[in-house]
């Protein structure tokens, strides 16, 4: 249960980083619990009587928290799926309009006046020519096959490596022209000018971009709110575990005090030694584990996890930006 709550908070925080994209450095400032940073919330923790009435049984309280976090998890999956589909479709269209002239969409490059349109005999083709071969192209394109219209080539666009040339020829010479162009290391692009299809792609990209912007703000707000809810629920589960484990180990009546310690890493070993000296009389079996570096049969806990006192770790670093 504890792991489920931790993973739920981690999923929300990591997905927030994905959604913020280039602004992911701002994620940490959005990871708040009840409007304050996580360490402040923990150090000022008070049980939320309204959400989790203490007059309820422990099982009922646990069920309330579990249902709440399960709902967050289900909502996150649904919202993430919808947003990711939208984002993926937009990225696919953007990739079509970027990259090499050999593969990218040509819709935003060419114009209607670059083509011979609605001719029964003539067709305009688009050829990608390496920059180092511009001079050879100009010398040879008219003779690559029969029926190429003289002086019909124009440079329409170029990137770092290549240029996109138009050339007009008779339709019956298409196959021969393709073959000869390939032999000369020119690439004929499969492209037919269709204004309706090109406009449809542009409109789709505009629509997707607009939808993404509309969903971005509400999604980030939802993630902030529900990260807070998941983290708060996780800390309440920690409090429940401290109580239950203390009763199980030390019995009734309840006579214990929960404390929060935040040591530096270099002081961890020393702190363990001091705590063990203070409380080893509470649980001789735990002291034996520490002394002999053996596990307690049936508990399946390593020596680092079992001490004479009840111990639970709270990790506030829910993001890994490696």
């Amino acid at each position: 249960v504890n792991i489920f709550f931790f993973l739920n908070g981690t999923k929300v925080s990591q997905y927030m980083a994905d959604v913020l994209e280039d602004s992911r450095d701002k994620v940490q400032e959005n990871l708040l619990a009840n409007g304050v940073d996580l360490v402040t919330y923990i150090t000022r923790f008070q049980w939320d009587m309204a959400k989790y009435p203490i007059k309820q049984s422990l099982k009922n309280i646990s069920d309330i928290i579990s249902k709440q976090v399960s709902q967050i998890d289900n909502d996150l999956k649904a919202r993430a799926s919808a947003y990711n589909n939208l984002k993926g479709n937009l990225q696919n269209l953007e990739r079509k309009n970027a990259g090499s002239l050999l593969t990218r969409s040509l819709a935003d490059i060419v114009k209607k006046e670059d083509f011979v349109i609605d001719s029964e005999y003539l067709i305009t083709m688009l050829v990608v020519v390496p920059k180092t071969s511009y001079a050879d192209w100009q010398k040879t394109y008219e003779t690559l096959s029969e029926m190429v219209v003289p002086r019909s080539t124009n440079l329409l666009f170029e990137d770092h490596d290549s240029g996109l040339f138009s050339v007009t020829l008779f339709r019956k010479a298409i196959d021969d022209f393709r073959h000869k162009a390939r032999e000369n290391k020119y690439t004929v692009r499969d492209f037919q000018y269709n204004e309706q299809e090109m406009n449809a792609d542009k409109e789709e990209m505009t629509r997707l971009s607009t939808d993404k912007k509309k969903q971005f703000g509400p999604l980030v707000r939802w993630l902030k709110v529900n990260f807070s809810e998941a983290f708060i629920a996780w800390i309440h589960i920690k409090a429940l575990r401290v109580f239950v484990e203390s009763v199980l180990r030390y019995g009734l009546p309840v006579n214990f005090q929960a404390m929060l310690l935040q040591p530096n890493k270099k002081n961890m070993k020393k702190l363990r030694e001091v705590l063990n000296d203070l409380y080893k009389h509470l649980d001789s079996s735990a002291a034996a584990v520490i002394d002999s570096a053996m596990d307690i049969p049936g508990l399946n806990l390593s020596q680092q996890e079992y001490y004479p006192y009840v111990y639970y770790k709270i990790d506030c670093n829910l993001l890994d930006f490696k």
Side-chain angles (χ1 to χ4, degrees), residues 50 54 74 106 126 192 203 222 253 287 321:
I54 58 174
N74 292 334
L106 304 178
L126 301 178
Q192 289 186 336
E203 289 171 3
W222 185 91
F321 287 117

Side-chain angles (χ1 to χ4, degrees), residues 177-188:
F177 182 83
R178 282 182 187 277
H179 178 70
K180 294 294 176 52
R182 188 163 52 248
E183 286 183 348
N184 285 271
K185 296 184 170 35
Y186 307 137
T187 303
V188 178

Side-chain angles (χ1 to χ4, degrees), residues 109-120:
I109 293 175
V110 299
K111 305 180 185 65
K112 186 175 182 179
E113 52 266 30
D114 297 327
F115 295 83
V116 173
I117 306 293
D118 298 329
S119 170
E120 184 179 351

Side-chain angles (χ1 to χ4, degrees), residues 13 63 68 76 95 108 123 126 129 142 148 152 165 171 192 218 224 254-255 266 297 300 307 319:
S13 60
D63 287 345
Q68 176 195 3
L76 175 63
R95 276 195 290 269
D108 60 334
I123 185 171
L126 301 178
V129 180
E142 294 179 358
V148 176
S152 64
F165 286 83
R171 291 180 181 274
Q192 289 186 336
K224 288 174 64 175
V254 172
N255 182 21
K266 62 182 181 181
N300 196 28
Y307 304 95
L319 288 171

Side-chain angles (χ1 to χ4, degrees), residues 118-159:
D118 298 329
S119 170
E120 184 179 351
Y121 301 105
L122 296 176
I123 185 171
T124 299
M125 303 189 73
L126 301 178
V127 184
V128 179
V129 180
K131 280 189 173 180
T132 54
S133 301
Y134 278 10
D136 290 340
W137 167 258
Q138 293 289 354
K139 289 177 186 177
T140 62
Y141 80 91
E142 294 179 358
T143 58
L144 286 178
S145 73
E146 295 181 350
M147 300 184 180
V148 176
V149 176
R151 290 177 292 181
S152 64
T153 194
N154 288 296
L155 176 61
L156 306 182
F157 185 84
E158 58 184 350
D159 59 19

